[in-house]
Amino acid sequence: KLGAFKHDKASPVLVFLMVLNTVVMLVSNIIAAKTFPLFSINNLAVVLPSAVVIYPLAYVLSDLLSEVYGYKWSRLSAWTSFAMNLLMVGAFELAIIMPGETDLGVLKSTWFLLIASLLSYIVGGLVNDVVFKTMKRKAGSEAVAESKGVLGRAIWSSVVGQFCDSLIYIPLGMNIFPKLFLGFEFMSWPQVAICVLLQPTIKVIYEIIISPLTIKCCKVLRKYEVEAGNEYGL
C-alpha cells in the first residue's frame, strides 16, 4: 500500500538502512547454498548454511526500522528486498542461458532459494515485526522515546521470528527444493532437524551479543531524526 507513504519523507539514514537490508538479503540468497560443518554427532555432520554469517543482520535491521521508524517502514523494506531479489534471480537465469564460455551454473540454486526465503521471511519476518510492534505499544510512548525495553523487544521478537523462519526455510531450501530441482540435497533430514533448532539459536545469540550496539543505534538514530525534524509513527 504505497499510498500510505504519500505524505511521508524518508531521511538519508532511513534510505541507507533500507539499502543495507536489501544488500544483506541479496548476499544471503547467493551464499545460502553452501553449507559448512560445525561438529559431528555419531558420525552425523552438523552443518549450517553460510548465510548464517550475515542473515541475522536482517533481523537487527528490521528491529531498528521498527523501533525508530515504525512498522510500515520495516515492512516496506522487507518487500523492497524481495523485489530486488526477484530482479537478481531473473538476471542470473538470463545470464545462465545466454551463450558464452563462462559457466554460471552455480547460480541455478538462487531462484528456488528465493522462493524458500520468501516464504520463510514472510512468516518469520511478519511474526518478528508483529511481536516487536505489540511489545513496543505495550511499553508506551514514553518508554519508547527513552529506548527502554529495546533489548527485550528485539530478543523475544527474534526468538519467535527466527524459529518460524528456520522451520520453513531449512526443509525447503536445504532439502526439498534442491532434491526436486537439482537432484541432490544440501542437507539430509537428520541434518535439517538439527539445523532447524540450532540455526535460530545461533542467530539469537548473535543478536544478544551485538544488542548493546543495537540499543545505542536506536538512541542515536532517534535523536538524529528528532533533531532533523523527522517524525515517524510507532
Side-chain angles (χ1 to χ4, degrees), residues 172-232:
L172 288 178
M174 297 292 104
N175 186 288
I176 296 175
F177 284 171
K179 196 168 185 177
L180 183 62
F181 298 110
L182 299 179
F184 61 89
E185 58 198 26
F186 297 144
M187 292 184 187
S188 65
W189 279 112
Q191 289 175 320
V192 166
I194 295 174
C195 190
V196 164
L197 297 175
L198 184 60
Q199 178 169 272
T201 301
I202 292 177
K203 288 180 178 179
V204 171
I205 292 174
Y206 171 95
E207 187 164 351
I208 292 174
I209 292 174
I210 68 170
S211 60
L213 179 60
T214 303
I215 295 173
K216 180 65 175 179
C217 286
C218 284
K219 292 180 179 180
V220 171
L221 288 176
R222 185 174 288 110
K223 181 180 179 181
Y224 166 82
E225 297 296 358
V226 170
E227 292 178 350
N230 300 323
E231 296 184 4
Y232 296 93

Side-chain angles (χ1 to χ4, degrees), residues 22-224:
T22 299
V23 172
V24 168
M25 298 298 291
L26 293 175
V27 174
S28 296
N29 191 38
I30 294 172
I31 68 176
K34 182 178 180 179
T35 60
F36 65 94
L38 290 180
F39 51 85
S40 296
I41 301 177
N42 295 329
N43 295 323
L44 176 66
V46 176
V47 299
L48 288 174
S50 296
V52 75
V53 301
I54 189 174
Y55 190 69
L57 184 56
Y59 278 81
V60 174
L61 290 169
S62 177
D63 290 341
L64 280 176
L65 289 167
S66 295
E67 179 70 19
V68 179
Y69 298 97
Y71 178 73
K72 68 178 184 179
W73 284 104
S74 177
R75 286 291 84 206
L76 179 63
S77 178
W79 287 113
T80 301
S81 297
F82 279 110
M84 296 304 99
N85 250 302
L86 186 61
L87 175 63
M88 179 189 71
V89 169
F92 283 173
E93 290 300 313
L94 180 61
I96 289 172
I97 63 175
M98 290 176 66
E101 296 183 2
T102 303
D103 184 12
L104 298 178
V106 68
L107 300 175
K108 285 184 178 180
S109 62
T110 53
W111 72 268
F112 64 73
L113 289 178
L114 172 62
I115 295 175
S117 63
L118 174 61
L119 294 174
S120 63
Y121 194 73
I122 285 177
V123 177
L126 178 62
V127 169
N128 177 83
D129 281 350
V130 168
V131 172
F132 195 97
K133 179 182 179 183
T134 302
M135 294 181 68
K136 185 177 177 182
R137 283 183 170 175
K138 287 184 177 180
S141 58
E142 184 176 343
V144 169
E146 297 179 4
S147 295
K148 292 182 178 179
V150 176
L151 178 58
R153 292 192 286 274
I155 298 305
W156 282 111
S157 62
S158 291
V159 167
V160 181
Q162 294 280 10
F163 180 74
C164 292
D165 185 292
S166 293
L167 192 61
I168 297 173
Y169 178 79
I170 299 301
L172 288 178
M174 297 292 104
N175 186 288
I176 296 175
F177 284 171
K179 196 168 185 177
L180 183 62
F181 298 110
L182 299 179
F184 61 89
E185 58 198 26
F186 297 144
M187 292 184 187
S188 65
W189 279 112
Q191 289 175 320
V192 166
I194 295 174
C195 190
V196 164
L197 297 175
L198 184 60
Q199 178 169 272
T201 301
I202 292 177
K203 288 180 178 179
V204 171
I205 292 174
Y206 171 95
E207 187 164 351
I208 292 174
I209 292 174
I210 68 170
S211 60
L213 179 60
T214 303
I215 295 173
K216 180 65 175 179
C217 286
C218 284
K219 292 180 179 180
V220 171
L221 288 176
R222 185 174 288 110
K223 181 180 179 181
Y224 166 82

